[in-house]
Structure formats: C-alpha cells, structure tokens
Amino acid sequence: MLGVQNLPTYAVGALLIILLPGPSSLFTLSIAAQLGVRAGYRAAAGMFLGETLLMVATAAGLASLLQANELVFAVVKYAGAGYLTWIAVGMIRAALAMWRRRDEKSVEDAPATPDLPQGGRLFRRSLVITVLNPKAILFFLSFFVQFVDPQYAYPGLSFALLAAVYQVISIAYVTVLIFSGTYLAAQFRRRRKLSASLTTGAGAVFLGFAAKLATTSN
C-alpha cells in the first residue's frame, strides 16, 4: 500500500515504541494531572506537531545532515538537554513549594503551583521538548526505512502513510494518558504529599532524560 511493506508489523512496532515513556508523553501526563483534560490536550497538540515536524524533517533528509555533521548534532543535542533540565528544575521547585505548605490541608486550598505554564505556553513548551531531540529524527529514519519499498516511485507517500499510522496510535495512547492524568488530579487534590512526591519524581525523571540526551552520540 503506497510503497509500504508489512504495515501490520509496522503498526505493532510503532505501538510498542509509543508505549515507552519519553519526555513529551511524561510532560503531557504531568500537565493533565495538574491542570485537567483541556490543558493536557494543549500539551499533546504541541507534541503531535513536534513529531510531525520531525517526520517531515526525516523525509526531507535532515537525518543525513545530523549524521554527517557532528557540530549540528551537538548544538541540537545540548539545547535539548538544557531545556529538559530547565523543565526538571521547574518541577522540583514546584514540589518544594508544595512541601513548604505542610500546614495546609489540601492542594486545593493552596495557592497556584509556581512555574506551571498556562494556555499557549503549554503548547509551545511541549513542542520545544519534542523537536529538540536529534535522536528522534535518526530514530524515525532508521525505523521508517525498514518498511518502505525502495522500488516505489513516490517514497514521500510512503513516509506520509507511516507518519499517519504512527500519529493515530500516538493520539489514542495520549488520550489514555490525559484521562488517567485527570484521575490522578483528583487524587492530588486530596493528598498533598502524594502530589509533591510525584512532582518531585517527574522532575527527577526529566533530569534523567536530559543526562541521557547530553551523553548520547550520533
């Protein structure tokens, strides 16, 4: 179909890859847990656009540039690691503020969490988290080409179909994350310590993502 080979196998592989936790999906879950469904979908929209841009860049040959030019790869890599670190620090600061409010009975009665993005900032932050990951472009290249017929005359259509299937699966998965986050939000409002602990944990995971990205190579 449109130069794509073994589409069912590709769909299963894409599902397994999407299920692996990454900074974009974790950010979306965190936002949904703290701000609800609408905010979660704003963050998800930034992730979907970022993934689409990465896929287009892959098809346009940017992956080859990243592989060939170590300087470009390093600039994108360290920019991404720095941004993830900034996100992590914001989460940890927010968690510390929650712990300081130990005299309050619930998060619901507390002031708004500091450093929490709102509105369009959610979309932009999620977008930046997604696109500042050079390994994602290399991943899409190495994964997609396994299922593209090299003899097909219009490889762009093949990449488009693979990207569409990937995004359909990704949207379904992120929807589950967002509504799971809404359930978590209800628990957070009743359990201040749980909220602070999980926010701290999320910040630590983001620091781990940053370290992993900063030490990776092309």
Side-chain angles (χ1 to χ4, degrees), residues 30-213:
S30 174
I31 290 301
Q34 296 178 74
L35 298 178
V37 172
R38 182 176 295 182
Y41 273 111
R42 285 199 187 102
M47 182 184 74
F48 296 144
L49 177 58
E51 289 177 341
T52 300
L53 292 175
L54 292 179
M55 293 176 195
V56 171
T58 299
L62 183 57
S64 299
L65 173 62
L66 289 174
Q67 286 178 315
N69 193 315
E70 293 185 3
L71 177 60
V72 174
F73 183 88
V75 168
V76 177
K77 177 180 71 174
Y78 288 119
Y83 193 73
L84 289 177
T85 301
W86 181 63
I87 297 292
V89 170
M91 288 182 171
I92 293 172
R93 287 178 58 198
L96 290 175
M98 294 179 200
W99 284 113
R100 291 192 191 102
R101 294 195 295 267
R102 54 183 174 271
D103 294 332
E104 299 184 27
K105 294 183 178 179
S106 70
V107 174
E108 192 172 29
D109 300 325
T113 302
D115 298 321
L116 203 59
Q118 301 285 340
R121 290 176 58 203
L122 287 172
F123 175 85
R124 292 191 294 272
R125 183 170 292 188
S126 181
L127 175 62
V128 172
I129 290 173
T130 304
V131 299
L132 285 182
N133 185 0
K135 297 298 286 187
I137 300 178
L138 301 181
F139 157 73
F140 283 128
L141 177 65
S142 62
F143 186 54
F144 281 12
V145 296
Q146 300 176 52
F147 301 93
V148 174
D149 182 356
Q151 304 302 319
Y152 188 65
Y154 306 102
L157 293 178
S158 303
F159 273 91
L161 176 58
L162 293 173
V165 172
Y166 185 94
Q167 289 293 51
V168 167
I169 298 172
S170 182
I171 290 170
Y173 170 63
V174 169
T175 295
V176 173
L177 284 184
I178 289 172
F179 282 95
S180 298
T182 303
Y183 169 78
L184 291 175
Q187 304 304 311
F188 289 169
R189 282 192 290 270
R190 292 193 294 268
R191 298 177 177 87
R192 178 179 56 80
K193 290 183 179 180
L194 174 63
S195 178
S197 298
L198 291 184
T199 302
T200 302
V205 171
F206 266 83
L207 285 177
F209 284 136
K212 183 177 180 181
L213 180 57

